[in-house]
Amino acid sequence: MEELLAVMARLRDPEQGCAWDRAQGFRSLVPHTLEEAYEVADAIERDDRPAMRDELGDLLFQVVFYAEIAREAGSFDFDSIAQGVTDKLIRRHPHVFGDHPPLSAESQRETWEAIKAEERAERASDDTAPSALDDVPLALPALTRSRKLQSRAARVGFDWPEPHQVIDKVREELGELEEALSDVPRDQAHIHEELGDLLLACVNLSRRIGVDADQALRDGNAKFERRFRGLEAILADAGEHPQAAAFDRLEAAYQQAKERDQEQLRLNIEPNQ
């Protein structure tokens, strides 16, 4: 770790460092940090352990980069970052590091959230009332942020009692979107709003049934990609091109690719049957 910090300091050296590294600031690094985080997620999705190691190193380097910029400005350094997160973990796990009795997973989550709520209240300014929605980052992907906002609201009682009520809400929002699409002339701003409401309801449903919406969509994307590539292969075997095929032909090839995909998944899951 000391060697890595020394390398980072050398990269930022005004005389002997790298011009690109010296030019960076907190804001300019944000896109790179997000990209590195997604590359970590991609390596995990592929279960590529060597890539995971490399990508986690790249992500760690982002933290080191921010720490060096802050150290130069006299704000904080890597040691204070590490100490801060250490103190936070100890504070939020009294059942591990304190004299609190052991907790179930659910009780642990409730205690964790209660401690976080106390921390948010302490950070709130005197003239601003703390909100259950404080500190949900705007930069989060929309699906993730939606789930966090709705989870926070649910902790103070703003939640549907049963999942089937959320399904009814999804149907309601879908109906309102259909109505907006039938307007003549179309009001694109209204359609935009109703689609947002529908997506919000879908994320709420995923939360209530214990499914991560972002992960479910990533899995859905992967499935669609597999099957569309299968569609392309089927057309190629027949000497056809997707651009020249009618929709009915594309749909038939997609359904054929879907059947092959499902069969392959069955064989992978049940290799001895």
Side-chain angles (χ1 to χ4, degrees), residues 244-259:
F247 176 77
D248 288 347
R249 172 57 175 146
L250 293 173
E251 176 62 17
Y254 186 83
Q255 292 301 322
Q256 185 179 352
K258 176 180 176 180
E259 292 176 4

Side-chain angles (χ1 to χ4, degrees), residues 6-14 16-19 21-22 61 65:
V7 167
M8 183 71 254
R10 178 64 180 272
L11 289 171
R12 293 275 297 181
D13 185 273
Q16 297 179 318
C18 169
D21 290 281
R22 291 200 309 268
F61 178 69
F65 210 145

Side-chain angles (χ1 to χ4, degrees), residues 44-271:
I44 293 172
E45 290 286 343
R46 294 183 286 105
D47 194 25
D48 186 336
R49 302 303 172 87
M52 286 169 59
R53 179 199 61 209
D54 291 345
E55 299 301 346
L56 285 168
D58 291 343
L59 187 58
L60 174 60
F61 178 69
Q62 295 295 305
V63 177
V64 169
F65 210 145
Y66 288 116
E68 176 59 21
I69 295 172
R71 186 193 67 80
E72 294 167 1
S75 302
F76 55 84
D77 59 13
F78 185 85
D79 286 345
S80 64
I81 293 173
Q83 189 62 59
V85 71
T86 299
D87 294 343
K88 182 189 296 184
L89 289 171
I90 293 172
R91 184 171 64 251
R92 292 183 179 180
H93 293 82
H95 56 292
V96 176
F97 299 102
D99 54 5
H100 197 289
L103 298 174
S104 65
E106 180 61 24
S107 296
Q108 179 180 337
R109 186 187 67 80
E110 293 174 357
T111 299
W112 175 280
E113 294 302 333
I115 294 171
K116 288 171 66 177
E118 291 175 2
E119 293 172 354
R120 288 193 297 271
E122 291 174 359
R123 289 196 299 270
S125 62
D126 294 338
D127 57 350
T128 303
S131 168
L133 305 182
D134 285 344
D135 299 332
V136 180
L138 285 169
L140 285 174
L143 288 178
T144 303
R145 189 165 194 270
S146 178
R147 180 185 179 96
K148 283 185 172 292
L149 288 171
Q150 295 182 61
S151 295
R152 291 279 189 89
R155 290 181 198 131
V156 298
F158 189 68
D159 199 11
W160 297 103
E162 299 294 338
H164 70 82
Q165 295 172 300
V166 190
I167 294 176
D168 291 340
K169 186 63 176 176
V170 171
R171 292 194 180 103
E172 176 188 327
E173 298 296 353
L174 179 59
E176 292 180 3
L177 176 59
E178 290 175 334
E179 289 180 12
L181 288 169
S182 66
D183 288 343
V184 180
R186 282 190 176 183
D187 183 342
Q188 197 62 30
H190 186 204
I191 292 171
H192 178 100
E193 179 183 357
E194 295 300 343
L195 180 59
D197 291 345
L198 175 60
L199 292 172
L200 194 73
C202 288
V203 172
N204 197 18
L205 175 60
S206 74
R207 180 185 62 83
R208 290 293 282 112
I209 62 177
V211 173
D212 183 275
D214 195 67
Q215 183 61 55
L217 184 56
R218 283 199 296 270
D219 292 342
N221 288 340
K223 180 168 63 176
F224 175 78
E225 183 177 3
R226 283 196 315 271
R227 293 175 179 179
F228 189 82
R229 290 180 183 275
L231 171 157
E232 292 175 317
I234 289 168
L235 293 181
D237 289 344
E240 302 176 62
H241 299 283
Q243 298 90 332
F247 176 77
D248 288 347
R249 172 57 175 146
L250 293 173
E251 176 62 17
Y254 186 83
Q255 292 301 322
Q256 185 179 352
K258 176 180 176 180
E259 292 176 4
R260 291 181 179 179
D261 184 55
Q262 290 174 331
E263 177 65 14
Q264 184 60 48
L265 289 175
R266 187 188 68 81
L267 292 173
N268 288 342
I269 294 172
E270 303 172 348

